[in-house]
Amino acid sequence: MVNMNTIINTVGTNTYETIKQDIIAGRLQPGTKLKLDGLKAQYSASVSTLRETLNRLSSDGFVLSAEQRGFFVAPVSIADLTEIAQMRILLEGHALKASFASGGPEWEGDVVSAYHKLKLMEERMQSGDDSEIETWKAYDLGFHRALISACDSNTLKQLHSTIYDKYLRYQMLVLDFRGKPACNEHKDMLDMALSRNTEKALNVLETHVLLGVEHCIASFK
């Protein structure tokens, strides 16, 4: 027998993820008003599902709910990016410590595999081929997630995922490759993971994130 609650929950989750990814990728620009009638046709979802989805996205910080005015894609600002970056350093740093402590051979293999895909894409980017920018950012995300995948706190990983998505949103708005320094930082992170050098990994992570913020701000200007 089909469970209608399961179907409804699945539809709601899919709608949430689709709209969130469109916000992160910049297909829904900051400040855009999210009109229910337009969204209903665009995402093939009911008004009730969309209201629930937008309220959830509002709770997660991707959408603003203005009384009597409806829903809007959350705006961007340097202050917001800076705060998000600091939270990413904090959360990812804690997750890295736990992951380095408990990661085994399979984790190492996952990290190496994720790095290999990212490295190949970064080499293409350095050669001037920017035809697959979204794939590059997906591999970047995959590498950082692989690094913390052995962390046994699902709550920490969920919090990190949300804050990383917010950080990624800024990067997707500029989509400008930082070049060899970023590649070197990723290689350093790989080496520190395999050698379990937590202290240096945390230093590299902080440098990596903060230089990314500086680059993003410069690109906005």
Side-chain angles (χ1 to χ4, degrees):
M1 183 175 180
V2 176
N3 188 319
M4 290 305 297
N5 287 331
T6 299
I7 293 175
I8 291 170
N9 289 337
T10 300
V11 170
T13 299
N14 290 343
T15 303
Y16 169 86
E17 289 296 335
T18 301
I19 295 178
K20 184 177 77 169
Q21 289 306 315
D22 283 347
I23 292 173
I24 291 170
R27 289 184 284 271
L28 290 172
Q29 287 285 309
T32 299
K33 185 167 185 178
L34 300 170
K35 299 179 180 179
L36 292 176
D37 288 342
L39 295 177
K40 181 179 178 181
Q42 184 175 353
Y43 295 101
S44 301
S46 67
V47 169
S48 61
T49 294
L50 288 167
R51 286 188 185 279
E52 180 181 344
T53 296
L54 295 178
N55 279 318
R56 184 179 170 192
L57 286 166
S58 178
S59 297
D60 289 344
F62 294 99
V63 165
L64 291 184
S65 176
E67 189 174 353
Q68 306 299 324
R69 295 179 58 220
F71 296 96
F72 297 81
V73 177
V76 295
S77 68
I78 292 174
D80 182 55
L81 172 58
T82 302
E83 183 178 8
I84 288 169
Q86 291 296 336
M87 285 300 299
R88 179 187 165 188
I89 291 168
L90 177 65
L91 295 172
E92 194 165 329
H94 279 295
L96 276 176
K97 289 180 183 178
S99 197
F100 282 20
S102 61
E106 289 188 6
W107 170 75
E108 289 186 3
D110 290 341
V111 170
V112 171
S113 175
Y115 173 76
H116 178 67
K117 290 189 288 187
L118 175 59
K119 179 176 179 289
L120 291 177
M121 189 57 65
E122 287 180 330
E123 287 173 350
R124 288 178 59 177
M125 296 288 291
Q126 287 185 87
S127 71
D129 180 0
D130 61 356
S131 60
E132 295 189 59
I133 287 181
E134 288 198 26
T135 301
W136 157 55
K137 293 313 302 176
Y139 286 168
D140 191 348
L141 169 60
F143 176 62
H144 284 280
R145 280 186 171 166
L147 286 168
I148 67 167
S149 61
C151 170
D152 60 4
S153 171
N154 289 328
T155 299
L156 178 53
K157 287 191 285 190
Q158 288 168 1
L159 289 171
H160 172 264
S161 180
T162 297
I163 208 69
Y164 193 105
D165 282 345
K166 292 181 179 181
Y167 182 86
L168 180 59
R169 180 183 176 218
Y170 279 88
Q171 292 192 314
M172 293 297 288
L173 286 172
V174 298
L175 282 177
D176 189 20
F177 185 45
R178 191 155 58 86
K180 191 167 181 59
C183 300
N184 291 341
E185 290 151 17
H186 283 141
K187 178 59 166 62
D188 287 343
M189 292 292 291
L190 171 69
D191 293 342
M192 295 311 103
L194 297 180
S195 64
R196 302 298 200 278
N197 190 332
T198 303
E199 183 176 354
K200 186 171 181 181
L202 295 177
N203 290 335
V204 175
L205 171 66
E206 182 171 9
T207 297
H208 183 66
V209 173
L210 294 182
L211 288 179
V213 169
E214 290 181 11
H215 186 75
C216 195
I217 292 172
S219 297
F220 279 147
K221 295 177 181 178

